[in-house]
Amino acid sequence: MNDTARSLPMRDGVAIPQMGLGVMYVPEGTLPALMREAVRLGYRHFDTATVYGNEAEVGEGLRSLDVGRDEVFVTTKLQDGMHGYDNALRAFDASEKLIGSIDLYLIHWPQPAKDLYAESWRALVRLQEEGRVRSIGVANFTPDLIDRIVGETGVSPVINQVELHPRFQQRGTRAYNAANGILTQAWSPLEHGLILKNEAVAEIAARLGRSPAQVVLRWHLQNGLVVIPKAAETRHLADNYAAWDFELSDADMASISSLDRNQSSFDLDPMTYESERGRIES
Ligand SMILES: NC(=O)c1ccc[n+]([C@@H]2O[C@H](COP(=O)([O-])OP(=O)(O)OC[C@H]3O[C@@H](n4cnc5c(N)ncnc54)[C@H](OP(=O)(O)O)[C@@H]3O)[C@@H](O)[C@H]2O)c1
């Protein structure tokens, strides 16, 4: 990675750029150009998933960049229908073929009713042992679910990617992650755009001469969270990356932190969510 100041170290020794580009719902055919523009602006991290259906475009985009493959960090995720040891290995093979190489592989949703997530985790551990992937982690896992996979394998995820924004701050999961050396990564860091209309956020943004998105992303960065805002529009891409260029005072941080409602804005419960039934197809 070329900019260690903008990366966070994970417990396995790999550094992850703290702000990445989430590429869910980026219109088909536009992703390689969007990735090139992102890299021009400073991004070095892309977050995709098999279920987003764009791993081939991510691979195409990576091959078209001006920077070397080792300069960028790429995450993809095990799709929900592929839980279990053998299935997870097969799913990884397919993603690797499309993307080229993968830095971080996550279990996308635990789907505890299937009771296969621990088997899937064993497969991810093997992939890392074999050097096929640099880092392995989970998404949408509660502390209890993480305790189980660590108990069964002795291997801890380096990251837990969860829904996280000012109205759903995941304080309990964050505290557990921090106590166990797991980085917390925020998906939908802008609450899918909803938080940008919040009055307190708008007031801070107007006072500082910043956009609401920059204020919210700056709050994430100052909280030590890894963020992956999605932006299909290039003006949003640039706006978001400029969250690196200013600071929020303790009072403004506290004012945003006071917005917590401690519940998902999308009615997504990791204990019951199956993507087939969810409102966000991710
Ligand atoms: N692990 C999981 O289960 C999971 C679930 C959901 C999402 N994710 C990941 O998280 C990423 C981000 O989540 P998300 O897409 O749900 O939500 P998000 O990043 O919170 O919000 C994206 C929305 O905000 C808009 N936006 C972005 N920057 C803006 C700006 N500066 N000003 C105004 N509007 C702006 C985007 O518009 P435009 O696109 O039009 O620019 C888009 O409509 C996804 O791409 C995916 O990689 C993971």
Side-chain angles (χ1 to χ4, degrees):
M1 296 308 143
N2 65 346
D3 193 342
T4 48
R6 291 181 177 181
S7 295
L8 294 176
M10 299 191 285
R11 65 186 296 154
D12 60 6
V14 175
I16 183 167
Q18 198 180 350
M19 191 187 306
L21 175 65
V23 301
M24 181 175 74
Y25 297 147
V26 170
E28 199 179 338
T30 65
L31 189 47
L34 190 72
M35 289 170 69
R36 286 193 293 278
E37 177 61 8
V39 163
R40 196 186 66 75
L41 290 163
Y43 289 84
R44 293 291 183 273
H45 170 182
F46 299 100
D47 181 274
T48 187
T50 301
V51 76
Y52 304 165
N54 57 18
E55 287 174 316
E57 278 198 49
V58 170
E60 187 189 332
L62 288 172
R63 291 189 296 277
S64 77
L65 297 179
D66 287 337
V67 297
R69 176 62 187 86
D70 58 348
E71 297 274 314
V72 288
F73 188 99
V74 178
T75 302
T76 193
K77 315 183 190 93
L78 176 70
Q79 71 186 91
D80 295 342
M82 295 298 277
H83 268 292
Y85 188 80
D86 291 333
N87 276 349
L89 293 176
R90 284 213 329 266
F92 181 86
D93 287 347
S95 293
E96 188 185 45
K97 213 168 175 181
L98 293 172
I99 295 175
S101 65
I102 297 163
D103 295 285
L104 173 64
Y105 197 48
L106 304 179
I107 296 179
H108 203 153
W109 288 91
Q111 302 199 302
K114 286 185 181 160
D115 199 22
L116 287 171
Y117 63 89
E119 284 309 304
S120 303
W121 183 247
R122 282 183 200 284
L124 268 62
V125 170
R126 175 174 158 186
L127 289 165
Q128 189 183 34
E129 280 169 0
E130 291 179 345
R132 305 267 313 273
V133 65
R134 294 170 78 203
S135 300
I136 53 175
V138 294
N140 303 301
F141 269 51
T142 61
D144 284 354
L145 300 176
I146 295 178
D147 280 344
R148 176 166 168 210
I149 60 173
V150 176
E152 289 195 15
T153 62
V155 180
S156 173
V158 290
I159 222 160
N160 186 12
Q161 181 183 116
V162 293
E163 178 188 343
L164 203 163
H165 42 74
R167 284 195 281 229
F168 187 28
Q169 294 178 32
Q170 300 267 21
R171 291 172 201 251
T173 297
R174 270 161 70 193
Y176 169 91
N177 290 346
N180 290 280
I182 300 168
L183 284 186
T184 303
Q185 186 171 29
W187 66 253
S188 292
L190 303 175
E191 201 186 348
H192 215 59
L194 298 172
I195 190 65
L196 305 181
K197 298 183 185 78
N198 178 270
E199 223 173 276
V201 170
E203 183 278 317
I204 296 169
R207 177 159 42 77
L208 300 182
R210 293 283 166 181
S211 71
Q214 286 171 353
V215 167
V216 172
L217 292 172
R218 187 69 212 177
W219 174 86
H220 283 280
L221 295 176
Q222 285 181 217
N223 272 310
L225 300 162
V226 181
V227 274
I228 44 169
K230 176 257 182 178
E233 289 191 37
T234 48
R235 69 190 164 100
H236 291 159
L237 202 62
D239 190 44
N240 294 346
Y241 204 73
W244 283 112
D245 300 344
F246 72 109
E247 270 188 41
L248 290 172
S249 66
D250 290 348
D252 286 340
M253 286 292 289
S255 151
I256 299 168
S257 294
S258 74
L259 301 175
D260 198 7
R261 296 182 308 203
N262 195 29
Q263 63 179 44
S264 167
S265 294
F266 311 110
D267 270 341
L268 293 177
D269 179 352
M271 298 308 284
T272 53
Y273 179 72
E274 308 261 337
S275 61
E276 297 79 12
R277 295 204 304 260
R279 283 163 55 193
I280 288 192
E281 198 55 36
S282 78

